[in-house]
Amino acid sequence: MTSVARVVLDSPLPQLDRLFDYRVPAELEDDCVPGVRVKVPLRTGARMSDAYVVEVVSEGDWPGELSPVEQVVSPVPVLAPEIWTLARAVADRAAGVASDVLRLAVPTRQVRAEKAWLARDTSWSPPAVEPAPVTGYGEGVLEALLADHGRAAVDAVPHPVDLGTADDPVWVPGWAATLAQAASQVVAREQSAVLAVPDFRDVTDLERALLAVLPPERVVRFDAKQTNGQRAKALLQARTHAVVAIGNRTAAYAPATDLGLVAMWDDGDASFVEPRAPYVHTRDVALVRTAQSGAALLFLAHARSTDVQRLVELHWLQEVAPYRVPSPKVIPTAQQASAEGFAAQARIPSSAWRAAREASQHGPVLVQVANPGFGTGLVCADCGERAHCRVCGGPLGSPHRNATPQCRFCGALAVGFRCPTCGGGKLKPVGQGAQRTADELGRAFPGTRIVVADGSRPLDEVPARPAVVVATRGAEPSVPGGYACVLLLDGERLLAREGLRVQEDVLRFWTNAAAKGAPGAEVYLVGIGGKLATAMALWRLDGPAHDELVDRRALHFPPAVRVATLTGTDEAVTAAVDALGDAVVGSVLGPVPVPEDSVPGTVRAIVRFPYAHGGEVAATLKAEVIRRSSTRRVLPGGNRRRAAPTLRVRLDDAEPFTEV
């Protein structure tokens, strides 16, 4: 009996986002199995399309003759069944197309990696794993949760941890040690774990922690810095035996044999928002995958996101906090006088300056600042007018002292600048970036080594020797054993930004930097008072998340509700809103013009809806997109042509709420 392959086409067209049936020729039956890449004909067979086989069934009653599978591209099954199920659910949740998700999950074909996998020794098995106890949370607390496939919001251990020995120390952040120990518990039962972190520094820290408790054969990386060949090799390795898959957004789609744990570190980081369609946040992928697999789920953070706080208050996530672990000694300085001289120019209060001066004699001191470069902006030295780029109108900045002014948006050099207001040709910096702060600290701390770490000068680690490290938020290098003192500057500037998530973002910046200090090290929060300063000083960081969520519920803002952003012509957006009917919560925001869109006349509307209506709203909006994508218009002469898409949909989009 002939077999039939049900395939998903590699096409971004929403009208093709379904399974298609093709007859499997007799000569391809051995290789045409679920997960392999194939080529299949479209329409009359004049055009071939790439596809993945989802399932193979026996031929039954079909209305007509089925077209045959043209070619099995490779006999290697690269699409795991659980990843197809995940991709389908994630796409449906986001009103997107499954093939867009599969492009994130499955790298392009790599012949060398596939040949090596086919030629592997199938009798080989990786070394057994001895589980490492999860320290810092009370005896057996997290071990029991993992064994019961529980779900928890875990407050991270707020200081570095040594996973090595006295002769060979391995210092890692507290959160990395917890994830590594939890993963070892899972792998010891021959189950896999998927661990997602925001950026490459975090991947490096986590990999170092894992290799301290697991053999290298059990750790597989999935991240954007890998070549396609490395990703393909990692994907096939993860399908072979139980491993710990680590990486950034891509890791959430790693295949896994008998998945036992899904975990995320710092889920509030904006790096987890996928910039490509269907724009799904890694947190949502983790939630969907956990629901499908039944694996344990951990969200680790120092300052909890409002999204996780919502799940805690619904009792869907259990709260787990460190037990008898010293928290950072945070000292707010809003009421303290500033120091004099160069310390005052560097924005450091007198008590913080004295503590940093003393600490810098025997270890490194971390100074966190808001912005890179020399100054946060440039103004005309004669009239004080803010200097702007002649190319795009963006603000001019200076990466270091005496550097040629450069646009902070497009990067164009402002050679021969003339002020359009007074004609002056001299510029002076305003505000203080990392480089200017470093210059001032060099004068305030004579004889002390000054190190700058930012996006253009990344540093993963600095030695545990006397130094002052000036770093922008998120770029703070690690120190074995932790910093001797931490200064958090520019808090007012960070909080002055407009956006829905400003407060929780700033708390993340502060707490992540404070946790890089050694146990007992003093952390000075400069110029900040009120509830945030109190929460930091007491290290009770769930309070701000709860208060923020209460305000969001009153305003019908995410994550209290879900949102859908509709962009397109006025007629298309209005029709889509009308199609939603009673599912919408509160008033529709818009439609308003979108001047930055390349198509004239484009408008945008934001609709809000409860989580219970998510499936209905996503299906309705996707049907509207398909209807408008499939519409053809009649051209002069009677020809029919497919019209350009007039509606774009993005669910759970944070941008309209965060842009200034």
Side-chain angles (χ1 to χ4, degrees):
M1 179 179 290
T2 355
S3 300
V4 173
R6 310 201 71 196
V7 308
V8 55
L9 301 179
D10 185 9
S11 170
L13 297 178
Q15 57 268 39
L16 298 181
D17 185 30
R18 58 187 177 87
L19 296 183
F20 289 83
D21 298 321
Y22 287 89
R23 177 172 53 85
V24 181
E27 64 272 17
L28 299 181
E29 283 189 350
D30 291 340
D31 292 336
C32 192
V33 297
V36 300
R37 291 183 170 96
V38 295
K39 287 188 178 293
V40 294
L42 289 180
R43 295 182 178 270
T44 61
R47 184 160 61 97
M48 293 294 166
S49 174
D50 294 324
Y52 295 98
V53 176
V54 173
E55 61 178 335
V56 178
V57 298
S58 299
E59 187 172 15
D61 296 328
W62 305 98
E65 179 69 19
L66 294 179
S67 299
V69 173
E70 180 70 19
Q71 176 189 358
V72 175
V73 177
S74 168
V76 177
V78 292
L79 177 59
E82 72 272 13
I83 300 304
W84 160 249
T85 305
L86 176 65
R88 181 70 276 167
V90 166
D92 290 343
R93 188 182 189 279
V97 178
S99 65
D100 286 337
V101 181
L102 293 180
R103 289 193 188 98
L104 306 175
V106 183
T108 56
R109 187 191 177 204
Q110 302 297 311
V111 177
R112 182 177 299 179
E114 292 181 353
K115 287 182 176 179
W117 187 79
L118 290 171
R120 74 193 186 283
D121 181 4
T122 55
S123 64
W124 177 86
S125 59
V129 171
E130 185 69 26
V134 186
T135 57
Y137 294 91
E139 187 175 354
V141 172
L142 277 181
E143 289 91 337
L145 187 145
L146 294 169
D148 294 339
H149 306 286
R151 306 180 298 260
V154 182
D155 295 340
V157 173
H159 58 72
V161 173
D162 183 10
L163 293 180
T165 62
D167 296 330
D168 185 20
V170 180
W171 286 99
V172 297
W175 62 264
T178 300
L179 284 182
Q181 293 161 346
S184 75
Q185 295 282 328
V186 172
V187 177
R189 299 194 296 266
E190 288 301 323
Q191 293 182 307
S192 293
V194 171
L195 312 180
V197 297
D199 61 34
F200 304 118
R201 293 183 184 86
D202 298 323
V203 174
T204 301
D205 287 336
L206 181 56
E207 185 176 35
R208 190 166 65 250
L210 285 165
L211 293 178
V213 298
L214 290 173
E217 297 87 351
R218 296 287 194 171
V219 182
V220 179
R221 288 182 65 150
F222 288 83
D223 61 63
K225 276 194 171 182
Q226 291 177 304
T227 64
N228 281 329
Q230 291 171 327
R231 285 190 61 202
K233 180 181 178 181
L235 180 143
L236 294 172
Q237 183 180 349
R239 294 207 61 184
T240 306
H241 55 267
V243 298
V244 182
I246 66 172
N248 40 35
R249 297 184 302 269
T250 311
Y253 299 103
T257 59
D258 191 11
L259 185 62
L261 170 64
V262 178
M264 288 182 67
W265 154 246
D266 204 16
D267 69 287
D269 195 295
S271 300
F272 279 126
V273 180
E274 177 57 54
R276 295 168 290 182
Y279 313 104
V280 180
H281 196 289
T282 308
R283 183 195 312 110
D284 296 326
V285 180
L287 293 171
V288 172
R289 191 161 192 186
T290 302
Q292 291 179 342
S293 65
L297 175 65
L298 301 180
F299 289 111
L300 267 77
H302 296 300
R304 193 179 298 165
S305 70
T306 51
D307 303 82
V308 169
Q309 179 66 25
R310 170 183 165 272
L311 296 175
V312 168
E313 295 185 11
L314 290 174
H315 303 292
W316 196 84
L317 288 176
Q318 176 184 342
E319 292 184 277
V320 177
Y323 180 69
R324 292 184 177 177
V325 170
S327 56
K329 185 181 178 181
V330 180
I331 304 170
T333 66
Q335 306 302 322
Q336 297 182 13
S338 296
E340 298 180 354
F342 295 120
Q345 295 177 24
R347 317 181 300 291
I348 301 177
S350 55
S351 62
W353 181 84
R354 287 193 297 270
R357 181 66 179 167
E358 180 181 347
S360 67
Q361 303 300 313
H362 56 82
V365 173
L366 174 63
V367 180
Q368 185 197 68
V369 297
N371 298 101
F374 187 73
T376 58
L378 294 172
V379 299
C380 175
D382 296 328
C383 68
E385 184 73 19
R386 176 77 68 167
H388 292 279
C389 175
R390 289 172 294 189
V391 177
C392 71
L396 295 182
S398 179
H400 54 82
R401 187 188 296 272
N402 300 324
T404 302
Q406 187 175 14
C407 178
R408 300 177 70 92
F409 287 176
C410 71
L413 297 176
V415 180
F417 175 85
R418 285 290 172 182
C419 176
T421 301
C422 69
K426 295 185 66 176
L427 295 171
K428 65 179 181 180
V430 291
Q432 291 177 308
Q435 185 60 58
R436 189 175 184 184
T437 302
D439 289 352
E440 303 295 350
L441 288 174
R443 300 183 182 92
F445 293 84
T448 303
R449 178 170 175 252
I450 307 295
V451 179
V452 178
D454 55 23
S456 60
R457 287 162 291 193
L459 283 174
D460 291 333
E461 186 176 282
V462 294
R465 299 198 302 264
V468 174
V469 180
V470 182
T472 52
R473 58 192 188 277
E476 304 92 350
S478 299
V479 170
Y483 287 92
C485 183
V486 178
L487 308 183
L488 305 175
L489 307 184
D490 300 335
E492 307 98 319
R493 186 182 305 165
L494 291 172
L495 289 169
R497 296 183 302 121
E498 295 183 18
L500 189 64
R501 296 184 181 270
V502 168
Q503 178 175 292
E504 56 184 288
D505 283 344
V506 172
L507 270 179
R508 286 194 311 101
F509 300 151
W510 289 341
T511 54
N512 291 350
K516 290 183 178 292
E522 293 181 337
V523 179
Y524 285 85
L525 180 60
V526 176
I528 298 296
K531 291 184 177 180
L532 290 185
T534 302
M536 286 285 293
L538 299 176
W539 207 251
R540 294 293 303 272
L541 304 169
D542 54 339
H546 169 76
D547 295 343
E548 188 73 18
L549 189 58
V550 169
D551 293 340
R552 306 270 185 91
R553 289 194 182 107
L555 297 171
H556 293 304
F557 277 175
V561 296
R562 293 185 65 190
V563 298
T565 305
L566 314 177
T567 308
T569 63
D570 191 15
E571 184 271 333
V573 170
T574 302
V577 172
D578 292 340
L580 292 176
D582 296 335
V584 178
V585 172
S587 58
V588 176
L589 305 179
V592 295
V594 186
E596 65 269 20
D597 196 281
S598 58
V599 180
T602 300
V603 300
R604 179 175 63 199
I606 301 173
V607 296
R608 296 166 285 184
F609 56 93
Y611 286 80
H613 287 241
E616 171 193 346
V617 169
T620 301
L621 293 177
K622 186 174 180 180
E624 282 291 305
V625 172
I626 292 175
R627 182 173 69 85
R628 295 187 174 275
S629 299
S630 305
T631 302
R632 295 180 178 272
R633 57 192 178 96
V634 179
L635 300 175
N639 295 324
R640 296 175 65 84
R641 178 181 176 184
R642 192 182 304 278
T646 56
L647 178 65
R648 301 193 300 273
V649 173
R650 182 169 176 180
L651 269 66
D652 305 309
D653 182 14
E655 287 188 8
F657 298 98
T658 56
E659 293 179 341
V660 177

